Amino acid sequence: MRRALTTAVAIALMGGAALSAPAVAADGQRPINPRTADLSASGGPSDLAPQAPLPEVDQLAAGDALTTARRVFSGKARANDPSATLALRDLWVKRSELSGRDLAQAENLLARPTDGPTDPDGFGYTVPEAAPVCNTRICLHYVPTTADAPPSVDWVNQNLAVVDSIWTQEVDQLGYRAPLTDGAKGGGPQLDVYLKDLGGQGIYGYCAPETRVKNRTASGYCVLDNDFSQAQFPSATPADNLLVTAGHEFFHAIQFGYDYAEDRWMMESTATWMEERVATHVNDNRQYFPTSPIYAPQVPLDLFSSQYTFQYGSWVWWEYLSNKYGTGIVKKAWDQAGSLKKDGGKNSVEALQKVLKKKGGFTKNFARFAAGNLTPAANYPEGAEYAFPKFANGKVLTKRKRSKKFGTKIFHLASASYGFAPKGLNGKKWKLAIKVNGPAKRTSPAAVVVVHMKNGKRQVKTVKLNRNGDGRLRVGFNGKKVAVVSVTLVNGSTRYKCNRGTTYACQGKPLDDKMRFSVTGRVTKR
């Protein structure tokens, strides 16, 4: 289903307890305060994410797809179940493998609400629908009585207006393909949107593919909760819940016109990113921060988790790219991921490699993204409002304690950041010599050093790694000017054996997981 520039890395060296945020600098940036800069690995949102996620195998059988969809739509969804949209997508893809009673149950689940009350989980209307409210591209369907009835016809009209405005933003303004027409289903060629009481099942809304059109494209229909009553959805107003849900789910209907079988993480992360385009004031997608690359950088970017919400948290990757290159970068990725002849026909990571090829390459962009996530306001329009991330670990270096080495294993498309803070090292003569040892260059390792100045400025430098993955860099370490030096170690590998039944890109098995990295920081006078 669906925080102006700052350079704060916040948190405590002193006793391990988080302290107050440093004061805002005159230029609107927050400098890192070494006394409140957390160089520890404990506590914070990232603790919600596993330190060593294992590949999640997704050998989805048709019977499992049916069982999952029934569970989701009966209000008994487990924490490891996908969203309603992807549960139906998976069932729709696998339905041809079913027969008899199982096939009938699948067809009931995939049916529109107007197909009647035969759905054993009660997702069909039990009374005839009222006359739909339509314009030239959307029809809103509802019933006048029963628990599925909307609170008023005005609410029906508001739904039509909201979905129409989202169509304008996502299709007319951002340039995505319109959802594919279903011919005369629902009474005409328009996209059909149904209002139904979904809150009892814990569902805000969903879209379902319905008819395959060409290659891996399909038409579909959408269902939204009939009233978003605050008794069922207390986190926001009905109007805000409608807006953010429609924005997210409508983008799934658009995705069906590119490739309904695209990698799950890309489908959900870009739909969650789209919420920021149509409902930026709602900030519903911030609920996924704990499982985003900002706060859980040790988790692969492309993981679709059956236990956590990483695929939603990864919206920040698309937000980073669109802030740097413009919102069109996401559409270019979908053009490359599409299945039509004019498209690229690529999986999610291949599509990203293609669109970033002339922008420094995927690895460089991913490494800068990972390093920049220590200071969200430098990369995100609303980043000043985000909570402060934490280092994986760090050390205060002094005249007596001049060096520290950290070692770790990093999964593909993941990172780990370490901090070195000067204490009592005043004067230009003091330097920090950084030594990075990583895996072979063919596995796409990277290391980015950021010197966080006390005046709020940042100096960003890339460590040049040789073919063995090793590199060195020296930066200023004057304690009067430097707050913290961060070193972000990055496993940028995009190498897979595809079609291995995992929930990563191309359902592939990553070839370069748990790669060994180390970083040593040493104080020198040269």
Side-chain angles (χ1 to χ4, degrees):
M1 291 306 149
R2 38 153 236 62
R3 281 165 183 190
L5 285 186
T6 175
T7 53
V9 173
I11 35 178
L13 279 173
M14 302 171 62
L19 303 180
S20 59
V24 177
D27 60 356
Q29 296 179 320
R30 290 180 183 173
I32 295 176
N33 186 329
R35 291 171 297 182
T36 60
D38 187 352
L39 305 183
S40 71
S42 62
S46 61
D47 281 356
L48 299 178
Q51 295 299 311
L54 298 175
E56 299 198 20
V57 178
D58 185 32
Q59 303 281 5
L60 187 66
D64 294 333
L66 174 60
T67 299
T68 298
R70 287 207 63 183
R71 196 164 54 233
V72 169
F73 281 86
S74 66
K76 300 177 181 178
R78 298 174 180 172
N80 62 348
D81 284 334
S83 68
T85 294
L86 289 190
L88 288 183
R89 190 281 303 264
D90 293 344
L91 179 61
W92 182 75
V93 169
K94 292 287 186 177
R95 72 197 188 286
S96 62
E97 300 175 21
L98 298 170
S99 61
R101 183 178 178 181
D102 286 346
L103 178 58
Q105 289 181 348
E107 290 176 342
N108 287 337
L109 284 165
L110 291 165
R112 301 177 178 220
T114 47
D115 288 339
T118 58
D119 187 336
D121 294 313
F123 268 73
Y125 289 153
T126 57
V127 297
E129 70 169 319
V133 177
C134 306
N135 61 21
T136 58
R137 52 194 188 184
I138 301 161
C139 270
L140 250 292
H141 300 261
Y142 69 101
V143 292
T145 60
T146 74
D148 292 326
S152 67
V153 176
D154 287 342
W155 179 251
V156 177
N157 290 325
Q158 184 174 342
N159 273 257
L160 178 62
V162 166
V163 178
D164 191 67
S165 70
I166 287 169
W167 185 306
T168 296
Q169 292 176 79
E170 297 186 10
V171 177
D172 300 336
Q173 295 176 2
L174 293 177
Y176 291 91
R177 296 170 193 165
L180 297 179
T181 180
D182 59 10
K185 291 183 179 180
Q190 298 100 319
L191 173 68
D192 294 301
V193 179
Y194 297 84
L195 302 186
K196 179 138 182 52
D197 182 19
L198 305 176
Q201 286 76 24
I203 299 172
Y204 286 74
Y206 63 89
C207 289
E210 187 174 44
T211 303
R212 179 176 174 273
V213 178
K214 188 176 183 180
N215 295 347
R216 293 189 304 274
T217 68
S219 62
Y221 67 91
C222 298
V223 182
L224 301 175
D225 187 75
N226 64 321
D227 57 6
F228 290 104
S229 72
Q230 291 197 278
Q232 293 177 326
F233 304 99
S235 63
T237 67
D240 282 350
N241 277 325
L242 167 60
L243 182 60
V244 72
T245 302
H248 183 115
E249 299 302 331
F250 183 83
F251 196 60
H252 281 316
I254 286 175
Q255 292 168 354
F256 298 157
Y258 285 83
D259 184 355
Y260 56 72
E262 188 48 73
D263 294 327
R264 289 176 172 183
W265 84 273
M266 184 175 181
M267 295 184 76
E268 289 293 9
S269 61
T270 55
T272 307
W273 167 84
M274 187 59 78
E275 295 176 19
E276 201 66 20
R277 314 280 74 76
V278 303
T280 184
H281 68 283
V282 179
N283 293 324
D284 183 75
N285 47 20
R286 293 189 190 181
Q287 68 178 294
Y288 306 118
F289 275 168
T291 52
S292 75
I294 301 177
Y295 304 106
Q298 71 277 14
V299 177
L301 175 72
D302 63 329
L303 174 63
F304 185 100
S305 176
S306 64
Q307 186 175 3
Y308 298 92
T309 57
F310 299 119
Q311 57 271 15
Y312 301 98
S314 289
W315 75 269
V316 300
W317 163 246
W318 305 102
E319 187 72 0
Y320 169 82
L321 291 180
S322 59
N323 188 48
K324 187 172 184 178
Y325 299 117
T327 55
I329 193 77
V330 183
K331 179 183 178 298
K332 289 179 181 179
W334 270 104
D335 288 339
Q336 289 299 321
S339 63
L340 297 178
K341 185 176 181 180
K342 62 181 178 180
D343 298 330
K346 298 175 171 57
N347 67 57
S348 57
V349 170
E350 290 175 337
L352 280 164
Q353 288 176 313
K354 179 67 175 180
V355 300
L356 294 175
K357 184 176 182 180
K358 295 182 179 180
K359 300 182 184 300
F362 177 88
T363 300
K364 179 179 179 180
N365 278 277
F366 183 71
R368 291 298 180 103
F369 161 73
N373 280 338
L374 292 172
T375 53
N379 291 320
Y380 304 103
E382 300 176 1
E385 302 172 24
Y386 297 0
F388 301 145
K390 296 185 179 183
F391 292 122
N393 214 328
K395 184 69 176 178
V396 174
L397 299 180
T398 67
K399 293 178 183 179
R400 298 187 62 181
K401 179 60 179 179
R402 293 199 178 191
S403 68
K404 180 64 179 178
K405 180 179 180 179
F406 298 104
T408 189
K409 294 180 181 179
I410 303 177
F411 285 81
H412 75 287
L413 301 186
S415 67
S417 295
Y418 299 88
F420 300 92
K423 183 178 180 181
L425 304 173
N426 299 329
K428 296 181 179 180
K429 62 182 179 181
W430 296 108
K431 307 291 182 183
L432 181 66
I434 300 165
K435 178 183 177 182
V436 173
N437 297 108
K441 192 172 183 177
R442 67 177 182 277
T443 66
S444 302
V448 179
V449 173
V450 181
V451 182
H452 303 268
M453 310 299 291
K454 290 183 176 180
N455 64 4
K457 295 182 180 180
R458 302 180 311 143
Q459 299 172 2
V460 182
K461 303 175 184 291
T462 300
V463 181
K464 186 175 181 180
L465 303 180
N466 61 25
R467 66 180 182 178
N468 296 319
D470 304 328
R472 298 172 183 267
L473 186 68
R474 193 182 302 269
V475 297
F477 209 52
N478 179 358
K480 288 186 176 181
K481 295 183 178 181
V482 176
V484 177
V485 174
S486 63
V487 183
T488 300
L489 306 175
V490 178
N491 181 342
S493 175
T494 57
R495 305 196 309 164
Y496 305 83
K497 286 185 178 179
C498 290
N499 302 312
R500 291 297 189 270
T502 73
T503 58
Y504 292 123
C506 76
Q507 298 184 45
K509 179 182 179 180
L511 298 181
D512 303 308
D513 266 346
K514 295 185 180 181
M515 303 303 286
R516 292 183 178 273
F517 286 79
S518 69
V519 56
T520 302
R522 181 171 58 86
V523 174
T524 72
K525 290 185 179 181
R526 295 179 288 149

